[in-house]
């Protein structure tokens, strides 16, 4: 079956702009989590969605937001981009958020200039 | 706050040798500890997990050891192969539907 699909793969944005990233989970998976990966901070949890509800949120400013649709696809949005938002954004899906095995997409590489 | 850290950022081993990747954690309340492997250009891939009430679990060529007394987790890879070259992350999962990742250890396998 198809894996987790993230689009776009690469993005270049200017400071102050906003960006929307998309994640399509594995068919049948209802939990979607987002992570930010940077060389300095590693993988940091952003938020987790299940059945269109955000169940947990990491320690990120309100500029980072997300949502999940009825088909479990998820989007995350970053407004008023800062240079420090440059990172690889990873999405992971699982059947249910409490299981330990999550399946990651290849990520979206965001560069803010 | 919660944190999962790694002892060594880089590990270099000879092909065929065993690899041991170590990790320290701080949250004693975590239910599960997990190891992920990330190859260049790919997202992390689940390797193995261990429940907090266990001290050892074996998979295919991998063994995870959990020492709750010193809050230490390790991943042992037997007969390391070139395909094992990657960054390895330890992670912990408790309540709250989130997984906390460590900083990662890069494993180099020398032919």
């Amino acid at each position: 079956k198809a894996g987790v699909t993230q689009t776009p793969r690469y993005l270049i944005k200017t400071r102050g702009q906003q960006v929307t990233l998309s994640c399509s989970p594995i068919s049948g998976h209802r939990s979607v989590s987002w992570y930010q990966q940077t060389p300095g901070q590693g993988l940091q949890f952003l938020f987790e969605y299940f059945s269109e509800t955000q169940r947990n949120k990491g320690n990120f400013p309100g500029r980072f937001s997300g949502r999940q649709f009825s088909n479990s696809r998820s989007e995350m949005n970053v407004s008023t981009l800062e240079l420090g938002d440059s990172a690889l954004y990873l999405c992971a899906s699982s059947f249910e958020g409490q299981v330990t095995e999550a399946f990651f997409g290849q990520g979206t590489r965001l560069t803010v200039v | 706050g919660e944190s999962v850290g790694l002892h060594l950022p880089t590990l270099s081993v000879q092909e065929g040798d065993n690899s041991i990747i170590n990790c320290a954690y701080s949250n004693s309340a975590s239910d599960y500890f997990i190891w992920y492997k990330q190859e260049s250009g790919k997202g992390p891939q689940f390797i193995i997990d261990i429940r907090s009430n266990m001290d050892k679990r074996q998979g295919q060529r991998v063994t995870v050891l959990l020492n709750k007394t010193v809050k230490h987790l390790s991943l042992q890879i037997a007969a390391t192969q070139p395909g094992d070259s990657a960054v390895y992350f330890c992670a912990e999962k408790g309540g709250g539907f989130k997984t906390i990742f460590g900083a990662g250890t890069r494993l180099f396998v020398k032919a």
Side-chain angles (χ1 to χ4, degrees):
Chain A
K1 55 183 175 183
V4 178
T5 303
Q6 291 188 246
T7 57
R9 288 293 310 280
Y10 302 93
L11 264 179
I12 299 176
K13 290 287 189 178
T14 305
R15 274 181 301 175
Q17 287 187 313
Q18 74 166 16
V19 67
T20 299
L21 312 181
S22 179
C23 173
S24 293
I26 290 172
S27 178
H29 284 189
R30 297 166 65 189
S31 170
V32 174
S33 297
W34 288 89
Y35 295 84
Q36 181 194 65
Q37 186 173 27
T38 59
Q41 298 296 319
L43 273 156
Q44 292 192 293
F45 174 80
L46 281 157
F47 23 68
E48 189 263 358
Y49 287 88
F50 182 84
S51 292
E52 302 178 66
T53 300
Q54 185 184 91
R55 298 194 296 188
N56 211 326
K57 190 177 191 303
N59 297 323
F60 279 83
R63 300 184 298 105
F64 291 80
S65 63
R67 59 178 174 170
Q68 187 181 35
F69 302 94
S70 58
N71 62 357
S72 294
R73 190 178 70 85
S74 178
E75 290 180 346
M76 66 163 284
N77 182 278
V78 187
S79 61
T80 319
L81 284 165
E82 301 177 359
L83 295 179
D85 297 332
S86 294
L88 180 68
Y89 289 88
L90 290 159
C91 160
S93 79
S94 62
F95 181 73
E96 208 291 334
Q98 288 180 310
V99 301
T100 56
E101 184 171 5
F103 296 83
F104 282 81
Q106 289 186 284
T108 294
R109 172 73 64 185
L110 172 66
T111 302
V112 183
V113 298
Chain B
E2 300 166 341
S3 69
V4 179
L6 293 167
H7 292 313
L8 296 172
T10 304
L11 178 65
S12 184
V13 300
Q14 197 69 39
E15 180 180 359
D17 287 350
N18 295 335
S19 303
I20 300 176
I21 302 171
N22 296 304
C23 176
Y25 64 91
S26 62
N27 185 3
S28 301
S30 294
D31 295 322
Y32 285 92
F33 297 91
I34 313 156
W35 284 99
Y36 278 88
K37 171 187 180 183
Q38 186 175 25
E39 297 176 277
S40 181
K42 298 182 179 179
Q45 180 183 10
F46 175 90
I47 301 173
I48 190 169
D49 64 4
I50 185 168
R51 193 162 183 167
S52 60
N53 62 356
M54 300 170 64
D55 52 22
K56 181 179 180 178
R57 188 173 185 207
Q58 289 185 292
Q60 187 175 14
R61 279 202 309 120
V62 296
T63 300
V64 57
L65 299 177
L66 175 63
N67 185 330
K68 292 180 286 296
T69 302
V70 294
K71 296 183 181 178
H72 184 267
L73 185 70
S74 69
L75 177 72
Q76 300 178 4
I77 304 174
T80 311
Q81 303 168 0
D84 295 326
S85 293
V87 176
Y88 290 81
F89 294 94
C90 64
E92 59 179 302
K93 196 173 183 81
F97 312 107
K98 68 179 180 179
T99 301
I100 306 298
F101 282 80
T105 293
R106 183 174 297 279
L107 175 65
F108 289 103
V109 181
K110 297 177 288 186

